[in-house]
Amino acid sequence: MFLFTSTKRFYITLICLIFAAVIPIQAATGRFSYPPAETAFMIIVYAAAGLAFVLPEILYSMTPTEKLLKRYDVNKDARPQIERQARARNGELTPRKIDVKSRCATFTGKKGGSYRTTLKSCTCPDFKERKAPCKHIYYLMDQIERSSEN
Ligand SMILES: [Zn+2]
């Protein structure tokens, strides 16, 4: 999805912004009978909610990959990290969707669930516990690197 790393976020933002746009139109045509102050308040709430959802996505899309990876206070040459990188490379993973442009991915988990991965985070148990790059993040990194070489 263009700009968005999550389809859910995209739709929530869209709905919020549509509401923010439709309320003044409805008010202008007289179909919306709340007092002006309440109408303005509702527009602001929807617009602010839309922005709250889109802002992290814009920031993510604008931050270069190297800067995103600096957040991890982890030695990538430490043994457990090397093992994760190896697992990412030897075909153990089942990527469902890789979006190199938006730098996000979805993987099928072991128990049939799915993990959402960006360079900032992953919903897998390994990342949740350690807050350090998991094999999914390494896989995504590799794909991004590979696509930039072409
Ligand atoms: Zn993960």
Side-chain angles (χ1 to χ4, degrees), residues 14-24 43 46:
L14 195 68
I15 289 166
C16 288
L17 296 181
I18 287 172
F19 271 59
V22 163
I23 293 168
I43 294 166
Y46 280 113

Side-chain angles (χ1 to χ4, degrees), residues 20-84:
V22 163
I23 293 168
I25 296 168
Q26 296 283 72
T29 55
R31 266 182 281 179
F32 194 76
S33 54
Y34 290 99
E38 274 175 47
T39 307
F41 177 74
M42 272 188 253
I43 294 166
I44 290 165
V45 166
Y46 280 113
L51 276 179
F53 276 100
V54 75
L55 224 54
E57 300 285 333
I58 292 172
L59 286 176
Y60 180 71
S61 75
M62 281 176 18
T63 314
T65 297
E66 313 82 71
K67 214 175 162 194
L68 284 168
L69 299 179
K70 265 190 200 144
R71 67 195 289 114
Y72 299 116
D73 183 24
V74 62
N75 178 5
K76 75 176 177 49
D77 297 322
R79 196 182 177 88
Q81 288 311 107
I82 288 177
E83 282 168 8
R84 284 186 179 85

